[in-house]
Amino acid sequence: MQDDLNVKSKYFRLNKLTLNVGKTMYILFKSPRMKLLTSKSLVIDGNHVDYVLSNILHAVGVLKRLRYRGIPVSTRKVIYYSLIHSHLQYHSLVWGSASKTVLKPLQIAQN
């Protein structure tokens, strides 16, 4: 990841683009069972980039718990659209190019 970030940083410099590192964060999407093979520390031009946890996974867990607590479907839909759907829509460019086998678990979780 650090190598890719270095390439992008060089691209920004060559094309006279700037990146506000103070507002830049990164997130790793992985299975909870998958071990992280690299450190979470990334650096752009000497500035540390903060790591954030995925809120989508936590939101899915919240919705599953609400399902068994008698919360009305209309309320759960509002929570879904505010916490999960917005993230999925934002990342639709990534999901749009993925194969059906990769998308199937995502579709199951979304349903």
Side-chain angles (χ1 to χ4, degrees):
M1 287 188 301
Q2 184 63 55
D3 292 338
D4 290 338
L5 197 54
N6 292 340
V7 169
K8 287 170 181 47
S9 179
K10 183 178 178 182
Y11 173 85
F12 286 165
R13 280 193 306 276
L14 292 174
N15 291 285
K16 299 180 182 174
L17 299 170
T18 59
L19 179 66
N20 187 340
V21 180
K23 292 183 177 182
T24 302
M25 296 180 178
Y26 76 98
I27 188 168
L28 297 174
F29 294 98
K30 65 177 188 62
S31 164
R33 289 181 235 130
M34 184 185 299
K35 292 184 180 181
L36 191 59
L37 300 175
T38 182
S39 72
K40 294 180 185 176
S41 178
L42 291 177
V43 177
I44 301 174
D45 297 330
N47 297 305
H48 179 73
V49 180
D50 291 328
Y51 169 76
V52 293
L53 295 173
S54 171
N55 290 333
I56 294 175
L57 298 177
H58 298 294
V60 169
V62 167
L63 283 177
K64 283 183 179 180
R65 285 190 293 273
L66 292 177
R67 179 179 183 185
Y68 300 107
R69 304 236 174 154
I71 305 297
V73 172
S74 60
T75 303
R76 287 185 284 156
K77 280 185 179 180
V78 169
I79 294 169
Y80 164 78
Y81 279 106
S82 63
L83 296 178
I84 298 171
H85 185 77
S86 58
H87 290 282
L88 294 174
Q89 287 298 110
Y90 180 76
H91 294 99
S92 64
L93 292 174
V94 175
W95 308 130
S97 63
S99 68
K100 288 186 178 185
T101 56
V102 171
L103 289 175
K104 188 174 181 177
L106 179 65
Q107 185 65 47
I108 290 169
Q110 183 180 7
N111 291 343

